Amino acid sequence: MANVKGCNLPDELLYDVDNHIWFREIGDGTVKMGMTTVATALAGQLVAFTPKKAGKSVEAGKSCATVESGKWVGPAKSAVAGEVLEINEALVAKPAIANDDPYVAGWMVLLKPADWASVKPSLVPGTSVAPKYEAKMAADGFAGCAA
C-alpha cells in the first residue's frame, strides 16, 4: 500500500487523482467507487452524503453524489459514465464512515459502467499512484493526512 504524506492508497484500487476518487473492480462488470483518504482529509469530518438514486445514470466527469463537511460542499465526480446500481445506505446514515474507513465501509456507489474498457487506462493503478499523488499534493499545497 502506498502512503503519501500520511495518506494511505491501497494497491488494488484504481485512482482518479485529480478528483480524489478510487474505483474497485468487482469482477461482474461493476465497479465500486469512493473517496480517497486525501479527499476526506481535505474535506474534514463529513456530515452529509447525498448520492444519486439507484437506477439513475451518471455522465463521465459528472457528479454521482454530493458530499458535505463542516467546511466544504462539493460533487463526487465519476470518471466513467454508467448506471448507479446501489448506494451505500450506511454512508447516507453516517457520512463520517468515509473519514474512518474510506476504502471498505465508506464506499459511495456501485456502478455499472457504460464503457469501462475505454476509461480504465486513464486511471492510475494503486501500485504506481504515489508519484502522481505526491505531485498533486505539492501543486495544491496540501501537507498531508497526518493530523
Side-chain angles (χ1 to χ4, degrees):
M1 178 183 311
N3 184 298
V4 180
K5 295 185 178 185
C7 304
N8 290 327
L9 300 160
D11 291 345
E12 70 275 12
L13 303 177
L14 296 164
Y15 296 90
D16 173 358
V17 174
D18 288 338
N19 290 304
H20 304 296
I21 297 290
W22 59 260
F23 293 87
R24 173 176 293 140
E25 294 178 291
I26 303 302
D28 58 1
T30 63
V31 293
K32 273 189 179 173
M33 67 175 276
M35 296 176 290
T36 65
T37 52
V38 178
T40 60
L42 284 166
Q45 192 74 13
L46 300 183
V47 297
F49 168 68
T50 310
K52 282 196 168 189
K53 295 188 180 343
K56 294 288 186 184
S57 62
V58 176
E59 293 180 46
K62 300 293 183 185
S63 176
C64 69
T66 300
V67 181
E68 183 177 347
S69 71
K71 63 181 181 179
W72 183 82
V73 176
K77 295 180 182 177
S78 177
V80 64
E83 179 186 349
V84 176
L85 296 180
E86 185 181 340
I87 61 172
N88 186 347
E89 295 289 355
L91 190 60
V92 173
K94 188 179 175 205
I97 291 171
N99 295 96
D100 300 330
D101 188 7
Y103 300 115
V104 180
W107 64 275
M108 295 188 301
V109 297
L110 178 69
L111 291 174
K112 180 179 180 183
D115 190 5
W116 183 242
S118 70
V119 174
K120 183 178 175 180
S122 71
L123 300 172
V124 183
T127 53
S128 57
V129 77
K132 294 208 185 307
Y133 248 120
E134 286 170 4
K136 172 90 173 134
M137 289 176 178
D140 293 349
F142 178 59
C145 294

